Structures are given as C-alpha cells and as structure tokens.
Amino acid sequence: MNKTKRRIFNTAIKVFADKGYDNASIEEITAIAGVAKGSLYYHFAKKEDIFDTLLEEGMKLLKNSIEIKTERCETELDKIKAIILVQIKVTVKYETFLNVIFSQMWGEDEKSKKCKNAVFEYIDIIKNIVEQGIKNGEFYDGDADAIASAIFGVTCSSLIYRIKKNREVDANKVYEGFINSVTRTLSKK
C-alpha cells in the first residue's frame, strides 16, 4: 500500500471507529487525511471498498500472526496459548480496527455479513485446534465450536478491560491473568 493510500486507509479506520461506518463521510475522511477526493477515489472506488480493505487486511494480519506463532508449537494446548497471546496483543494494539469490526457485526446488511463471516472463519481456526486436542485426548471432550467461541470472546474481553480501566494495558499481564483458567478448563494434563 503506498503512502497516500495508507494515510486514507488509516484515517478512514479512525473515522469509522469514532462515528460509525454509516455516519462517516468521504468528505470528512479526505479532510482529515489531507487529500483530495480524487486521490481517495483513485485508491478506493467507494467508501465500502475502504471497509472491505480494512476487513481483509486486519483479518490477514491476525491469521498470519496466528500461523507464525502456532507452526512451531508441539501441542494443541501450546497452540491455544499462542493464539490467546496473539489475540490479546492484536486486540490491544489494533483496538480501533476491532471496534469497527465489532460495531458492524450485528446487522443483517452486507457489511455485517462480511464481518460475521470473517470472525467466524477466524473462530474456525481455533475450533480446528480444539477439535484436534479433543481427538488426540489432550483436551476434555466438549463442543469445539462453543469452546473456540469462548476463547475468542475471553481474549477479546481484554479490549473491554482496557476501556473499563481507561488506560493502556500490558498484553502479557492480561494474558498471565487468565491463561491458567483457560488451561485448567481445557487440558486433561
């Protein structure tokens, strides 16, 4: 992504997070980014294209981080631990991105469906690891989909924690704060 496109993209994320996608205007995005409308339209045909890029790039970052961190893990539990740490770090670092995704998930329009699908695809990555852990006897038997959704939800709660405390949080401290609970719940060992 070139410098101008990145500036438009980053500005749009902030405006979407602050005002909501529907209330964000192209005029406001271009004014804050300090670019002409023509520059925006050169890089993005319409506002929805910015949103689609946001969703695609954000989920790619999360999935790539997970893949890198789990490929060297020997056990499914180690993979889950790695996922939880990555998720917390991504949640803390890219709070604005997640605010946009979560705020758009709850409707039935096309954006909401895209957000739901992206989140569900991500949860399926966790589900596959949980299923493998159950299959190989490492984890207690259970509904892998519910467990994966719970892991996703618990780790996303670090964002709520940060908002509640109204301060920056240390991702490693948040991780340490609840990893033992997750480990004891899942692992037979």
Side-chain angles (χ1 to χ4, degrees):
M1 204 179 278
N2 73 30
K3 194 167 113 177
T4 302
K5 186 173 183 178
R6 174 68 58 195
R7 186 171 54 225
I8 293 166
F9 179 74
N10 289 337
T11 301
I13 292 171
K14 290 176 186 158
V15 174
F16 292 165
D18 291 343
K19 295 199 163 204
Y21 175 83
D22 292 329
N23 293 325
S25 71
I26 294 296
E27 291 76 18
E28 185 173 14
I29 293 168
T30 55
I32 294 170
V35 299
K37 274 189 192 180
S39 292
L40 183 140
Y41 289 122
Y42 174 78
H43 295 289
F44 302 99
K46 54 190 184 281
K47 185 169 80 168
E48 188 173 305
D49 290 348
I50 301 171
F51 184 84
D52 290 346
T53 302
L54 163 92
L55 184 61
E56 181 182 318
E57 292 296 317
M59 295 313 288
K60 189 186 316 178
L61 170 83
L62 187 55
K63 288 176 182 177
N64 288 345
S65 297
I66 297 291
E67 187 176 309
I68 290 166
K69 292 295 183 183
T70 60
E71 70 185 358
R72 287 178 249 133
C73 294
E74 293 183 22
T75 68
E76 302 312 304
L77 184 59
D78 288 341
K79 289 178 185 178
I80 293 295
K81 287 178 178 181
I83 286 172
I84 290 170
L85 184 57
V86 167
Q87 253 183 228
I88 292 170
K89 286 181 175 183
V90 167
T91 300
V92 169
K93 187 172 182 179
Y94 299 103
E95 174 184 340
T96 307
F97 162 71
L98 292 169
N99 283 339
V100 172
I101 301 307
F102 292 149
S103 70
Q104 294 301 312
M105 261 183 78
W106 306 110
E108 291 302 321
D109 63 357
E110 197 58 36
K111 280 187 315 307
S112 299
K113 289 176 184 175
K114 288 176 184 178
C115 288
K116 285 178 202 174
N117 287 338
V119 169
F120 295 159
E121 283 177 23
Y122 175 73
I123 290 172
D124 282 345
I125 294 169
I126 302 169
K127 177 184 155 189
N128 292 336
I129 294 168
V130 171
E131 285 174 337
Q132 186 60 41
I134 291 169
K135 182 180 174 183
N136 70 20
E138 189 178 345
F139 298 158
Y140 290 107
D141 194 18
D143 181 338
D145 211 13
I147 294 167
S149 296
I151 290 168
F152 177 76
V154 165
T155 53
C156 287
S157 68
S158 59
L159 180 57
I160 307 257
Y161 176 75
R162 193 206 79 62
I163 293 167
K164 181 179 180 198
K165 294 294 184 181
N166 197 24
R167 63 179 166 79
E168 292 300 313
V169 296
D170 181 329
N172 290 319
K173 284 184 181 178
V174 172
Y175 171 80
E176 293 298 327
F178 66 79
I179 194 61
N180 290 332
S181 297
V182 173
T183 301
R184 283 192 307 266
T185 302
L186 275 176
S187 181
K188 286 184 171 183
K189 297 175 184 180

